[in-house]
C-alpha cells in the first residue's frame, strides 16, 4: 500500500512487529515520522521528548549532522565491500578508534551487526579460545538470572529473562546461571551502587564446584543489567566475579551493549567500575543507533591464541556478510567524533547527580515501590496490579506518550535512558 508520510501507512497488517503487543498497537498506532536532537515527531505533528535514546542506542541524540553527512558520503563512495579476505580503510580506522577509547588492554575488535550477534560471537570465541589452548573440555557457559544478552539461541541460553526463553525449547546445553543482584528488601531506593549483595558473586564458586572449573569456558554478565529493569551491581560484586574467574581460568565477558559509549558517564562500564574483563560486547551507541553494527573487543591474550598455524589458513571460522560494513564504519567513526567533540560523556557524568535527584524525587508517589539509578539511567518500579502484571507500567507508557514523553517499560518497571545531550530543563 502507498505511504502517506504525514499520516503513516494505511495498511498495518504485513509488519509483524518485534517485542510489541501487535494487536493493541494496530488498534491505536503510535507513529514516529521524524526526529531531531532530543525529540521525535509524531504523525500528528507532536514533539515527543525521547526519554529512552530510542532503544538505549541514540546516545548522541537524533539526526546529528556529522553522522548523517558521513553516511551520505560513504554511500556515494563505497557502498559495500566484503570483509572475508578483503578490507576497506574505515573498518580498520574504526577498530583503532575503539581500541583507543576502550580500557587499556582491549586491543582487538571483531565487528558484528547487533548486540545479539556480538554475544553469539563472544560465546563462540570463548569456547574456541580454550580449544586453541588445548583445553577443549571448557565448553560450559555461565550466565545470570534476569540477564539479557540478545535474542539468538546463545544469548537467550545464557540470558535469564523467562519470557525470552520459555517458548523456544531446551536451548543450548551446558549452561548454568548465577543469581541476579536485585535485593529489594535490602537495597530499595538506593542511589547508585547498592551496599548489599557482593556475596552473590560467590555463587560462582558453587557452580565451579558442581561442574568443575576445567569444563567452564566463560561467565557473561551485564555490568549493569538494563533490559530487565536496571539492576545495579552491588559494591564489590564485579570485583569478586573478576577474582573468581581469574582464579579458575574462566573468561569474563562484559555485555556492554547498553552500558557502552557514555551511558554511565565513562566510555564503558569496565572503566566506570574499574574492572577489566577478557571480552566486551558492544552495539547500540557504537553508531548512535543509525546503522546496525556491533563489535566484540578482546584482549591480546584471547586474540593471539588463535594466531597459530600456517599463515594462509583462516584462524577463526566465524563472521557476517556485513561485518565492518563501509557505511556502518563511517557512521561509527562520525559517532565517536560527535561524542568527543561535544563532550557528551562528560555531560552525562556532570548531569548524573541532577538526574539522580530528579528520579528520587518520585519516591512516595502512589504505587512507586523502588527507584534505581546510575549515570544517565533510571528505573522506577511500580507495584503490579493484582492479577494483571505489566499493566500498570504499560498504562504509564501510554499516558506518557500522550503527554509527549517517550519512556520504556519492562514488566512493571519504567526504564529511562535519555540521549547524553540532555539538559536540566529536559530532565
Amino acid at each position: 500500500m502507498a505511504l502517506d508520510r504525514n499520516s503513516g501507512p494505511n495498511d498495518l497488517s504485513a509488519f509483524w512487529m518485534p517485542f510489541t503487543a501487535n494487536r493493541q498497537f494496530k488498534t491505536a498506532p503510535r507513529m514516529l515520522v521524524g526526529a531531531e536532537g532530543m525529540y521525535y515527531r509524531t504523525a500528528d505533528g507532536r514533539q515527543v521528548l525521547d526519554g529512552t535514546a530510542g532503544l538505549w542506542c541514540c546516545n548522541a541524540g537524533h539526526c546529528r549532522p556529522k553522522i548523517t553527512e558521513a553516511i551520505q558520503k560513504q554511500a556515494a563512495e563505497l557502498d559495500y565491500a566484503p570483509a572475508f579476505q578483503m578490507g576497506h580503510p574505515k573498518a580498520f580506522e574504526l577498530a583503532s578508534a575503539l581500541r583507543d577509547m576502550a580500557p587499556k588492554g582491549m586491543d582487538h575488535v571483531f565487528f558484528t551487526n547487533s548486540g545479539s550477534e556480538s554475544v553469539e560471537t563472544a560465546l563462540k570465541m570463548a569456547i574456541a579460545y580454550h580449544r586453541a589452548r588445548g583445553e577443549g573440555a571448557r565448553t560450559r557457559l555461565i550466565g545470570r538470572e534476569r540477564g539479557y544478552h540478545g535474542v539468538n539461541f546463545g544469548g537467550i541460553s545464557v540470558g535469564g529473562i523467562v519470557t525470552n526463553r520459555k517458548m523456544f525449547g531446551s536451548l543450548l546445553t551446558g549452561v548454568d546461571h548465577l543469581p541476579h543482584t536485585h535485593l529489594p528488601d535490602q537495597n530499595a531506593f538506593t542511589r547508585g551502587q547498592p551496599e548489599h549483595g557482593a556475596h552473590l558473586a560467590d555463587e560462582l564458586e558453587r557452580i565451579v564446584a558442581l561442574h568443575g572449573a576445567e569444563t567452564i569456558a566463560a561467565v557473561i554478565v551485564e555490568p549493569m543489567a538494563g533490559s530487565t529493569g536496571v539492576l545495579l551491581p552491588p559494591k564489590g560484586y564485579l570485583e569478586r566475579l573478576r577474582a573468581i574467574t581469574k582464579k579458575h581460568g574462566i573468561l569474563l565477558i562484559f555485555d556492554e551493549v547498553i552500558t557502552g559509549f557514555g551511558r554511565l558517564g565513562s566510555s564503558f562500564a569496565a572503566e566506570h567500575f574499574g574492572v577489566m574483563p577478557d571480552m566486551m560486547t558492544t552495539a547500540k551507541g557504537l553508531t548512535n543507533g543509525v546503522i546496525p553494527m556491533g563489535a566484540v573487543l578482546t584482549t591480546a591474550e584471547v586474540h593471539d591464541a588463535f594466531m597459530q598455524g600456517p599463515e594462509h589458513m583462516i584462524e577463526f571460522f566465524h563472521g557476517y556478510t556485513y561485518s565492518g560494513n563501509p557505511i556502518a564504519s563511517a557512521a561509527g567513526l562520525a559517532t565517536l567524533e560527535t561524542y568527543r567533540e561535544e563532550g557528551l560523556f562528560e555531560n552525562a557524568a556532570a548531569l548524573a547527580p541532577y538526574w539522580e535527584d530528579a528520579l528520587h524525587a518520585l519516591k512516595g508517589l502512589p504505587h512507586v515501590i523502588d527507584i534505581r539509578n546510575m549515570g544517565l539511567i533510571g528505573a522506577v518500579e511500580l507495584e503490579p496490579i493484582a492479577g494483571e502484571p505489566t499493566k500498570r507500567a504499560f498504562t504509564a507508557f501510554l499516558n506518557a506518550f500522550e503527554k509527549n514523553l517517550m519512556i520504556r517499560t519492562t514488566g512493571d518497571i519504567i526504564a529511562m535512558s535519555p540521549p547524553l545531550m540532555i539538559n536540566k530543563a529536559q530532565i
Side-chain angles (χ1 to χ4, degrees):
M1 291 289 187
L3 174 65
D4 179 343
R5 298 197 180 278
N6 292 316
S7 63
N10 58 11
D11 184 353
L12 306 181
S13 63
F15 181 23
W16 188 348
M17 300 172 69
F19 278 112
T20 297
N22 276 252
R23 291 162 297 169
Q24 188 278 339
F25 178 91
K26 290 173 184 181
T27 60
R30 298 173 292 279
M31 290 290 179
L32 306 174
V33 299
E36 184 177 3
M38 284 292 301
Y39 293 89
Y40 280 109
R41 187 174 74 255
T42 64
D44 57 358
R46 295 184 294 123
Q47 296 291 314
V48 176
L49 181 64
D50 182 2
T52 59
L55 276 174
W56 312 87
C57 52
C58 302
N59 291 2
H62 295 280
C63 296
R64 303 311 311 278
K66 182 180 284 286
I67 302 171
T68 302
E69 181 182 351
I71 292 169
Q72 292 170 333
K73 182 178 178 182
Q74 187 61 47
E77 181 181 279
L78 176 65
D79 55 349
Y80 175 81
F84 300 178
Q85 308 286 13
M86 299 295 295
H88 66 89
K90 283 192 172 58
F92 291 91
E93 291 175 27
L94 180 57
S96 296
L98 283 171
R99 177 194 60 199
D100 292 346
M101 77 180 298
K104 185 175 175 57
M106 285 289 159
D107 294 330
H108 299 279
V109 178
F110 194 104
F111 286 118
T112 69
N113 306 298
S114 68
S116 293
E117 288 186 359
S118 290
V119 167
E120 302 299 299
T121 297
L123 297 180
K124 290 174 71 175
M125 203 176 274
I127 293 170
Y129 161 81
H130 289 293
R131 180 164 177 168
R133 298 172 62 253
E135 295 189 66
R138 286 187 182 264
T139 59
R140 189 171 291 277
L141 302 166
I142 311 301
R144 189 166 60 186
E145 296 167 1
R146 292 188 67 167
Y148 180 74
H149 301 292
V151 294
N152 292 345
F153 269 101
I156 61 174
S157 296
V158 295
I161 296 179
V162 175
T163 49
N164 291 0
R165 294 165 51 90
K166 67 182 181 181
M167 299 286 284
F168 307 112
S170 57
L171 310 182
L172 296 186
T173 59
V175 174
D176 211 332
H177 291 79
L178 292 161
H180 62 71
T181 62
H182 189 40
L183 301 174
D185 291 343
Q186 295 175 280
N187 293 326
F189 298 99
T190 292
R191 291 171 175 251
Q193 279 190 274
E195 293 290 337
H196 306 285
H199 68 280
L200 293 169
D202 295 335
E203 283 293 302
L204 181 56
E205 290 282 19
R206 181 188 61 79
I207 292 173
V208 168
L210 174 64
H211 298 295
E214 70 279 6
T215 71
I216 301 175
V219 171
I220 181 169
V221 295
E222 301 156 275
M224 184 225 70
S227 295
T228 191
V230 185
L231 307 187
L232 306 173
K235 292 177 180 177
Y237 173 86
L238 294 174
E239 291 85 346
R240 282 202 203 183
L241 212 54
R242 175 70 281 191
I244 296 168
T245 51
K246 274 191 177 295
K247 172 184 172 184
H248 294 292
I250 299 166
L251 295 179
L252 178 61
I253 304 168
F254 276 0
D255 186 335
E256 295 240 22
V257 171
I258 283 175
T259 53
F261 305 104
R263 181 52 54 192
L264 301 183
S266 303
S267 296
F268 296 97
E271 175 187 350
H272 182 82
F273 294 115
V275 178
M276 177 73 170
D278 300 290
M279 287 187 263
M280 292 166 29
T281 62
T282 69
K284 293 190 184 294
L286 173 55
T287 59
N288 201 44
V290 177
I291 299 283
M293 191 182 213
V296 179
L297 284 69
T298 79
T299 62
E301 181 182 352
V302 171
H303 169 270
D304 293 351
F306 291 87
M307 300 300 137
Q308 311 295 329
E311 290 190 1
H312 69 280
M313 291 293 294
I314 295 169
E315 297 97 358
F316 184 42
F317 281 82
H318 175 74
Y320 302 98
T321 299
Y322 306 107
S323 292
N325 173 276
I327 299 174
S329 297
L333 284 165
T335 296
L336 299 190
E337 289 174 13
T338 299
Y339 292 149
R340 183 177 62 253
E341 291 174 0
E342 298 188 9
L344 293 182
F345 298 178
E346 293 80 2
N347 188 59
L351 283 178
Y354 188 84
W355 169 259
E356 179 179 277
D357 288 342
L359 271 170
H360 284 271
L362 303 177
K363 183 179 180 180
L365 291 182
H367 310 301
V368 174
I369 60 175
D370 193 16
I371 295 170
R372 304 181 284 277
N373 69 280
M374 182 167 288
L376 283 188
I377 297 178
V380 179
E381 186 159 357
L382 304 178
E383 180 184 18
I385 298 172
E388 296 184 288
T390 79
K391 187 173 182 179
R392 193 185 303 282
F394 187 68
T395 301
F397 161 77
L398 295 176
N399 289 341
F401 187 73
E402 288 303 310
K403 296 180 185 295
N404 301 326
L405 171 65
M406 181 178 290
I407 59 175
R408 185 167 183 267
T409 64
T410 173
D412 273 301
I413 300 165
I414 295 169
M416 290 169 284
S417 55
L420 308 182
M421 65 186 301
I422 197 169
N423 60 40
K424 288 185 176 182
Q426 291 161 340
I427 290 175

